[in-house]
Amino acid sequence: MGILICVLLLVSCKEERFDDRYDWHTIKVTASAYNSTRHQTDSNPHITAFGDSLKPGLNYIAVSNDLLKIGLKHNTPVKIEGFDSIYFVKDRMHSRWKNRIDIYMGLDVKVARQWGRKKVSISYGIPKQTEKDDP
């Protein structure tokens, strides 16, 4: 009888998926790629504008300031057309850029150049309000 109750409890407990915690918004942007090299960044190419450390293999992006204003803030999850993984906003771009993201590609400049620049759709997650969040 105890085993049956445990099985019923496990079946009835629904694990919340990562995607379910967010309201997803889709926009079209220009995407380019960048590397953590002094030539492409500044004298400390492994530290983002938000103070995060860059390490090859991390799924990070930089966003233009106008995208920060619409909700792509620090640590916002982002799905990028053509990529299977979720990326996170960890850097911001120079103010001259508009409606643009830069995809972090570690130290592999060749791969970044092959990616080039293209228009892609991205979906970014805004955390859903929960009952705990309401005042």
Side-chain angles (χ1 to χ4, degrees):
M1 184 68 161
I3 294 174
L4 179 61
I5 291 172
C6 287
V7 169
L8 288 174
L9 283 173
L10 285 173
V11 171
S12 66
C13 292
K14 180 183 167 194
E15 186 176 318
E16 184 180 36
R17 291 183 1 191
F18 178 82
D19 281 3
D20 295 339
R21 291 185 248 158
Y22 296 92
D23 287 321
W24 293 91
H25 305 271
T26 302
I27 60 172
K28 200 151 197 90
V29 299
T30 300
S32 52
Y34 79 110
N35 307 101
S36 44
T37 64
R38 286 186 180 176
H39 173 71
Q40 293 182 29
T41 58
D42 61 18
S43 62
N44 197 348
H46 299 286
I47 303 296
T48 71
F50 293 118
D52 294 296
S53 294
L54 291 174
K55 295 181 187 125
L58 297 175
N59 293 334
Y60 289 171
I61 64 170
V63 298
S64 55
N65 289 324
D66 59 326
L67 297 180
L68 285 168
K69 293 174 186 169
I70 67 163
L72 281 100
K73 299 176 181 166
H74 185 239
N75 289 325
T76 298
V78 178
K79 299 174 187 177
I80 303 169
E81 177 184 1
F83 291 86
D84 293 331
S85 301
I86 292 180
Y87 285 71
F88 292 91
V89 175
K90 293 290 187 175
D91 205 354
R92 63 178 178 257
M93 300 170 77
H94 190 280
S95 61
R96 73 177 170 262
W97 301 116
K98 303 286 183 233
N99 197 46
R100 203 155 167 176
I101 68 168
D102 244 352
I103 304 166
Y104 177 61
M105 296 200 173
L107 297 172
D108 197 337
V109 175
K110 183 178 178 182
V111 169
R113 283 195 180 130
Q114 285 174 342
W115 168 261
R117 181 176 57 220
K118 51 186 94 172
K119 295 251 187 222
V120 296
S121 289
I122 63 169
S123 297
Y124 62 97
I126 303 295
K128 287 182 179 178
Q129 292 291 327
T130 62
E131 293 176 21
K132 291 184 276 182
D133 295 338
D134 293 336

